[in-house]
């Protein structure tokens, strides 16, 4: 995992040199059992507990901003890190989406966990993070156990299983192409690989 983190950091530092001829098995894997998305889509699988995901955040922000308008960007929180806390954090991400507060709460969650080393014990602590980010506690309470949040939680778990996600951060394009991030040498090359896969017709 340390090598992965160093590789992700290196992507931010190495300048873009030339276009690459991307190849299956070298730059990306095809998820054989996955159903492709109806439209071009880029999905990041991540966990708030993952330090590599936290380090990857600036690049994910840039990736999202440079995607063509016809390419949807989404995120999928995984719950295989942290046991019960992992499930609660996945639920918290579904709440962020439902309330439209991801841009406010997600950076706060990452910062508190990885910069301030806050130890979360469960839902009450997570609620406090929402409040610290400016979300009224009653809004969190009214959303956390709703049908919409429970449905999204189940969907994220299904997505994780069908994409065979074993580690994070992982980027899946069009529901079927899994990036091999260690195969690219710059963030520009990573963006180019994403664009290449998003436009694939097969």
């Amino acid at each position: 995992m340390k090598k992965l983190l160093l590789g992700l950091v290196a992507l931010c530092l190495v300048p873009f040199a030339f276009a690459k001829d991307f190849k299956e098995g070298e730059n990306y894997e095809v998820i054989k059992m996955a159903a492709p998305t109806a439209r071009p889509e880029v999905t990041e699988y991540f966990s708030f507990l993952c330090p590599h995901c936290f380090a990857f955040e600036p690049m994910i922000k840039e990736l999202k901003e440079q995607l063509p308008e016809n390419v949807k960007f989404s995120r999928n929180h995984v719950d295989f890190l942290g046991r019960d806390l992992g499930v609660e954090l996945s639920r918290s991400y579904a709440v962020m989406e439902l309330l439209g507060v991801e841009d406010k709460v997600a950076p706060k969650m990452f910062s508190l966990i990885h910069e301030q080393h806050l130890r979360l014990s469960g839902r009450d602590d997570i609620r406090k993070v929402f409040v610290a980010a400016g979300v009224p506690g009653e809004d969190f309470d009214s959303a956390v156990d709703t049908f919409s949040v429970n449905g999204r939680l189940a969907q994220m778990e299904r997505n994780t299983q069908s994409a065979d996600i074993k580690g994070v951060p992982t980027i899946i394009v069009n529901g079927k192409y899994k990036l091999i991030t260690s195969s690219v040498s710059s963030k520009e090359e990573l963006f180019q690989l994403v664009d290449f896969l998003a436009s694939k017709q097969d």
Side-chain angles (χ1 to χ4, degrees):
M1 295 300 288
K2 187 174 182 180
K3 290 183 178 179
L4 172 63
L5 178 58
L6 291 173
L8 294 175
V9 172
L11 290 179
C12 298
L13 302 177
V14 179
F16 175 64
F18 55 86
K20 190 169 181 178
D21 182 19
F22 299 115
K23 299 177 181 179
E24 180 182 343
E26 179 179 333
N27 306 112
Y28 64 94
E29 301 172 1
V30 177
I31 306 170
K32 302 299 183 182
M33 301 301 293
T37 55
R39 56 173 287 191
E41 183 172 336
V42 177
T43 302
E44 182 208 12
Y45 288 78
F46 79 105
S47 168
F48 286 121
L49 296 175
C50 167
H52 310 298
C53 299
F54 174 58
F56 205 36
E57 278 292 281
M59 192 179 303
I60 284 295
K61 182 178 179 181
E62 285 192 55
L63 172 62
K64 182 179 178 181
E65 291 173 347
Q66 68 88 45
L67 287 175
E69 290 185 2
N70 68 314
V71 179
K72 177 183 177 183
F73 178 83
S74 63
R75 304 183 83 179
N76 195 109
H77 195 280
V78 303
D79 60 15
F80 53 70
L81 297 179
R83 299 187 178 182
D84 292 344
L85 179 59
V87 176
E88 285 297 328
L89 285 169
S90 286
R91 180 178 295 278
S92 80
Y93 185 69
V95 172
M96 293 178 208
E97 290 183 317
L98 180 63
L99 298 180
V101 296
E102 179 187 355
D103 289 345
K104 290 170 47 174
V105 183
K108 188 74 171 178
M109 188 76 75
F110 268 126
S111 177
L112 287 172
I113 292 173
H114 298 288
E115 294 180 321
Q116 301 182 41
H117 306 292
L118 176 68
R119 295 181 64 85
L120 301 173
S121 61
R123 187 175 297 184
D124 288 344
D125 287 342
I126 291 171
R127 182 183 188 274
K128 292 175 183 176
V129 176
F130 275 73
V131 173
V135 179
E138 55 268 27
D139 288 358
F140 175 87
D141 297 337
S142 65
V144 69
D145 282 317
T146 59
F147 178 81
S148 294
V149 166
N150 288 330
R152 177 62 172 139
L153 188 65
Q155 180 189 47
M156 288 193 289
E157 174 61 20
R158 289 194 302 270
N159 293 344
T160 301
Q161 292 180 1
S162 63
D164 193 30
I165 303 298
K166 303 298 185 183
V168 286
T170 295
I171 297 176
I172 305 293
V173 180
N174 294 355
K176 63 181 293 187
Y177 303 116
K178 183 183 297 184
L179 270 64
I180 302 175
T181 55
S182 60
S183 71
V184 296
S185 59
S186 70
K187 66 180 180 182
E188 288 86 0
E189 196 171 271
L190 177 71
F191 298 164
Q192 190 178 46
L193 174 56
V194 169
D195 290 342
F196 168 77
L197 294 174
S199 63
K200 276 181 70 67
Q201 300 298 317
D202 56 1

